[in-house]
Amino acid sequence: MKKDHRENTVGRWATKKLDALEAYLNFYGTALSKQPFERVYIDAFAGACVAKVRGSGVAAEASPFFEEPDDSEAQEEFIFGSPIRALSVPNSFHRLYFFDLDETRADRLRTTASRRSGVTVQVGDCNPLIRNLAPSLKTRTIRGVAFLDPYGAHLEWATLEALADTGTMEVVINFPLAMAINRLITRSGQGCSTLTPGNLILA
């Protein structure tokens, strides 16, 4: 079943992915903290502020040998999403842009970030929104990070080109490699000729 982009649940692997992003943003902010640049962050597929880890909260099978009632019920596990992590890092960004397809999640993010200046939350397809934003980032006084974590095949190549053309934005992509390969293989088992090394960008 295709994953709904409005679903506020993530797989267990998401914790490592988001921890890695947070560590990178911490390092980035520290490295540029004494530089005169205006720091910009873009989250193209922002998602929920908090998400439930799928599979958590499911009661574990009771042991036939020991009576452990307290251990037989698993606790639900929740993790902070990329927006909260970006907003919370020390030496954070002066401007943060969050894009999401769901109005409810966007409203929650606006509320969460309401006391923070420089935050823009927009609802809609991030591709044209980022391409419209990109020209304003093409200046020597800006340095930034764009986090692209698409729900599926929702990221357009022209968006990557627009970010690259700024010359100021570092792009971090969580690329669903296995999903992409499966989509590009025909029913006959023959690979699609458009899959070339230049198409694969890994975080």
Side-chain angles (χ1 to χ4, degrees):
M1 179 181 295
K2 184 178 180 181
K3 180 182 176 183
D4 190 330
H5 72 83
R6 294 166 296 184
E7 189 179 331
N8 293 337
T9 62
V10 295
R12 292 192 176 277
W13 52 267
T15 300
K16 292 183 178 180
K17 172 189 69 176
L18 292 170
D19 285 349
L21 172 67
E22 185 175 357
Y24 181 77
L25 296 181
N26 270 297
F27 174 80
Y28 189 89
T30 300
L32 270 67
S33 62
K34 295 182 180 181
Q35 300 296 322
F37 299 115
E38 181 183 19
R39 298 186 296 276
V40 176
Y41 176 77
I42 296 174
D43 199 328
F45 304 87
C49 293
V50 178
K52 177 183 174 182
V53 177
R54 287 192 292 274
S56 65
V58 178
E61 184 177 354
S63 169
F65 304 107
F66 303 98
E67 293 184 5
E68 298 178 337
D70 292 338
D71 294 335
S72 64
E73 295 184 1
Q75 295 292 321
E76 290 188 340
E77 183 180 350
F78 294 87
I79 61 173
F80 288 123
S82 56
I84 297 298
R85 294 172 187 249
L87 288 165
S88 302
V89 295
N91 302 309
S92 189
F93 298 85
H94 302 100
R95 283 193 277 155
L96 300 97
Y97 295 89
F98 298 101
F99 304 101
D100 198 86
L101 291 169
D102 185 64
E103 180 65 54
T104 300
R105 287 199 308 219
D107 279 342
R108 289 174 181 168
L109 180 51
R110 291 189 189 102
T111 300
T112 300
S114 59
R115 296 183 180 180
R116 174 71 181 272
S117 62
V119 176
T120 299
V121 181
Q122 289 184 273
V123 178
D125 183 350
C126 70
N127 291 287
L129 294 173
I130 289 176
R131 291 198 291 270
N132 288 337
L133 173 65
S136 69
L137 305 177
K138 196 173 182 179
T139 172
R140 294 179 180 179
T141 60
I142 285 178
R143 292 292 184 274
V145 176
F147 178 52
L148 312 181
D149 186 16
Y151 307 111
H154 298 100
L155 179 60
E156 298 174 5
W157 186 257
T159 302
L160 296 178
E161 290 181 319
L163 288 169
D165 187 57
T166 65
T168 62
M169 299 297 296
E170 295 186 15
V171 180
V172 178
I173 305 175
N174 181 43
F175 190 81
L177 182 59
M179 181 190 303
I181 291 176
N182 287 336
R183 287 175 180 267
L184 291 170
I185 294 178
T186 63
R187 292 184 179 180
S188 65
Q190 298 296 318
C192 177
S193 60
T194 59
L195 182 60
T196 65
N199 298 131
L200 302 181
I201 301 176
L202 306 178

